Amino acid sequence: MNKIALYPGSFDPFTNGHLDILERAVQMFDKIIITVAVNNKKTSFFTGEERVALIHETIKDYSWSDKVVIEQFTGLLINFARQKKANILLRGVRQISDFEYEFRMALTNRRLAPEIDTVFLMPDEQLTFISATIVKEVAEWGGDLSSFVPDNVARALRDKFKD
Ligand code: PNS
């Protein structure tokens, strides 16, 4: 059986923490579908198209990039997972405070789709404090982004805040 993992998230923007999770996941799964959630009720910093393009640009030169596809989605995650024939949902967990929400989400998704399991991976401990929200705040005030996000994402953040 092909192991197809859906890696969902807002990715607003894609951080070094996300990249670390992805690098671990490509060792475990045959295909990974990075699923960029676009929620019309939630305002995002980058548009769905921008987020997809940034992830593409970040991963394009990695040897494993052909195992990864990036797609936008709106709606119920398990519907998208079934449509894509994914059998695993992948989430990164950075610290205990992430766990409560992740646990509720995983069990909700399991109730809705018992055939799909959630797998949690931990990023490198040096990256556990990184969050997209904090990264945007650092960018807003002109801080050094080099250890938080890939270079192309840092450039895109700086450009947005120039506008
Ligand atoms: O990066 P995020 O914002 O923590 O990602 C959250 C996301 C997009 C994975 C989650 O909100 C989601 O799955 N939304 C889709 C709606 C859905 O299926 N909800 C039921 C599961 S709780």
Side-chain angles (χ1 to χ4, degrees):
M1 183 175 76
N2 265 1
K3 294 199 197 90
I4 303 175
L6 211 71
Y7 180 22
S10 302
F11 303 111
D12 190 31
F14 193 74
T15 66
N16 287 341
H18 296 129
L19 182 60
D20 180 281
I21 296 291
L22 190 58
E23 287 188 278
R24 291 168 199 282
V26 291
Q27 316 292 327
M28 303 172 152
F29 307 116
D30 300 302
K31 179 178 171 184
I32 295 160
I33 305 168
I34 301 183
T35 308
V36 175
V38 180
N39 182 343
N40 298 334
K41 286 190 226 125
K42 217 169 120 182
T43 46
S44 63
F45 186 71
F46 289 104
T47 65
E49 286 80 15
E50 286 172 329
R51 284 178 270 158
V52 169
L54 284 172
I55 302 169
H56 260 300
E57 204 183 348
T58 299
I59 70 167
K60 69 178 178 353
D61 293 328
Y62 284 92
S63 58
W64 42 256
S65 63
D66 58 340
K67 290 177 94 173
V68 180
V69 296
I70 310 158
E71 298 200 24
Q72 293 184 59
F73 102 107
T74 305
L76 205 56
L77 191 65
I78 52 107
N79 289 346
F80 191 71
R82 282 178 168 154
Q83 189 189 322
K84 296 289 163 186
K85 306 211 178 323
N87 32 30
I88 295 142
L89 299 176
L90 169 67
R91 291 283 288 172
V93 182
R94 294 162 299 185
Q95 46 218 341
I96 292 289
S97 55
D98 284 342
F99 190 72
E100 203 181 319
Y101 170 59
E102 293 299 332
F103 190 67
R104 272 190 276 130
M105 199 155 66
L107 292 185
T108 305
N109 285 329
R110 178 184 279 167
R111 180 67 61 88
L112 295 170
E115 77 283 12
I116 302 174
D117 246 315
T118 302
V119 169
F120 296 109
L121 290 179
M122 285 173 287
D124 185 292
E125 68 209 45
Q126 310 276 350
L127 303 171
T128 52
F129 66 95
I130 298 177
S131 78
T133 307
I134 286 180
V135 162
K136 281 177 282 202
E137 198 162 310
V138 174
E140 183 173 3
W141 302 107
D144 178 8
L145 295 167
S146 57
S147 59
F148 304 141
V149 292
D151 290 348
N152 67 309
V153 175
R155 278 195 301 278
L157 280 164
R158 280 196 296 270
D159 286 352
K160 268 266 199 231
F161 278 112
K162 252 193 270 156
D163 297 344

